Amino acid sequence: MSAATTARPAWPGKPKPVVSAAKAVAVVVILLLVAIPFWLVLATSISSDRQVMADGGWSLWPDRIDLHAYADVLNGGIIGHAILVSAMVTAIGTVLSLASTTLLAYALSRPNVLGGKPVLLAILFTFLFPAGMIPSFLIVTDLKLTGHLGALFLPVMINVFNLVVMRGFFQGIPEELYEAARLDGAGELRTLLRIVLPLSKAIIAVVGLYYAVAYWNDYFRAMLYLNNSSADQLPLSTVLRGYLTSTNAQSETGEAMLTQAPQKTIAAIVVMGVLPIAAAFPFLQRFFAKGVLTGAVKS
């Protein structure tokens, strides 16, 4: 038997100092690439106007804390409405998406369900070959959803990736629990509510976070389907895009959204756009790895 065959695999051994140092350097570099831009935006948003102008538009370290930009942003106006619209769309869309994804994933996870395999293949086909923007726009137009906030979440209520991950998680639940529920006289709905969902907190938290991030950050659908609406109906991400793309941005209706907004105000809006998701993630982090890994075991 050759030495290569009897050699111990590389992963049980202790890594070499060079490898450990390279990993540490890579982690530090990635951390800096993520932290420095966010800190630059945060520091600019809380710096004084004079310091921002003196530093050329972006401040690395504030000389004093100045929260006037946040006060101006939250003091009504289009930004206040945009935050409320984004929060409403995210909340309603996430609840509807979680409910519909959970019901469909549970149905597809059960063996011998009527039409389960053809439906699953059809769903996976849409994942591999999406319809595209034009058919989606035509469907939304035919349903008369243009100009309504429902166009931001109803057409994308079920994400195929989230559906497959949740279905895999449900398939990983021991079959003995389903059989015990049937022996106790529980139907499918009661089994889902009393047994499956309490065991699926991890995957529900992960999928809910995926949906919430997608709805909160989506700006393109509002541009596409709310182009004839007033600026008060636009979500925060779409308004922020207006700030970033033009110093004198206007909505599609011609109403002035911004008039030469300073970098400090832009930075404050960016921070407010990132803060809700960043604040929710630490509370869901303990579910994150467990939900994704468990849901990926079977499909």
Side-chain angles (χ1 to χ4, degrees):
M1 187 176 292
S2 63
T5 305
T6 58
R8 187 177 58 177
W11 53 86
K14 185 178 181 181
K16 296 181 180 180
V18 176
V19 177
S20 299
K23 292 180 180 179
V25 171
V27 171
V28 170
V29 170
I30 295 174
L31 180 62
L32 292 177
L33 290 176
V34 174
I36 290 178
F38 182 76
W39 170 253
L40 183 63
V41 172
L42 178 61
T44 302
S45 68
I46 61 177
S47 299
S48 61
D49 294 333
R50 179 167 42 180
Q51 182 184 1
V52 173
M53 295 178 62
D55 293 341
W58 299 100
S59 297
L60 187 58
W61 192 264
D63 55 354
R64 61 184 179 85
I65 303 299
D66 186 355
L67 301 178
H68 284 105
Y70 292 94
D72 294 339
V73 166
L74 295 174
N75 189 21
I78 184 173
I79 302 300
H81 286 290
I83 294 175
L84 294 177
V85 170
S86 291
M88 181 173 64
V89 170
T90 301
I92 296 176
T94 301
V95 171
L96 292 178
S97 293
L98 271 179
S100 56
T101 303
T102 301
L103 292 173
L104 183 56
Y106 177 75
L108 295 177
S109 69
R110 306 308 303 133
N112 302 323
V113 64
L114 181 62
K117 192 167 185 179
V119 171
L120 179 61
L121 292 176
I123 293 173
L124 294 177
F125 182 84
T126 64
F127 181 68
L128 298 174
F129 305 98
M133 183 177 65
I134 295 178
S136 301
F137 180 82
L138 293 177
I139 291 176
V140 172
T141 303
D142 290 341
L143 294 175
K144 302 187 184 305
L145 289 175
T146 54
H148 299 279
L149 293 179
L152 303 184
F153 52 83
L154 290 178
V156 290
M157 206 158 51
I158 295 180
N159 181 276
V160 179
F161 173 78
N162 295 336
L163 175 67
V164 171
V165 171
M166 185 171 285
R167 173 179 173 269
F169 188 96
F170 290 160
Q171 287 181 320
I173 297 177
E175 188 64 28
E176 290 78 6
L177 294 177
Y178 294 106
E179 295 177 359
R182 285 194 293 269
L183 291 176
D184 289 340
E188 294 295 344
L189 182 59
R190 186 177 178 184
T191 302
L192 174 64
L193 296 178
R194 295 293 182 88
I195 296 178
V196 176
L197 291 186
L199 296 174
S200 306
K201 294 179 181 178
I203 195 63
I204 291 175
V206 171
V207 172
L209 181 63
Y210 282 160
Y211 277 125
V213 171
Y215 285 127
W216 182 266
N217 292 333
D218 188 16
Y219 71 92
F220 184 72
R221 291 186 180 277
M223 294 175 52
L224 193 62
Y225 301 131
L226 302 181
N227 55 353
N228 293 324
S229 305
S230 64
D232 292 342
Q233 282 190 282
L234 299 178
L236 181 62
S237 55
T238 306
V239 175
L240 175 59
R241 180 186 178 276
Y243 274 89
L244 296 176
T245 56
S246 176
T247 57
N248 190 16
Q250 292 185 349
S251 67
E252 287 77 0
T253 58
E255 300 178 27
M257 289 169 54
L258 310 162
T259 304
Q260 296 183 349
Q263 295 281 21
K264 182 178 175 180
T265 304
I266 296 176
I269 299 174
V270 171
V271 171
M272 296 185 65
V274 174
L275 190 60
I277 301 300
F281 184 78
F283 298 98
L284 302 175
Q285 186 178 8
R286 64 192 182 97
F287 299 109
F288 200 82
K290 180 182 177 183
V292 172
L293 292 178
T294 307
V297 171
K298 296 178 67 177
S299 62

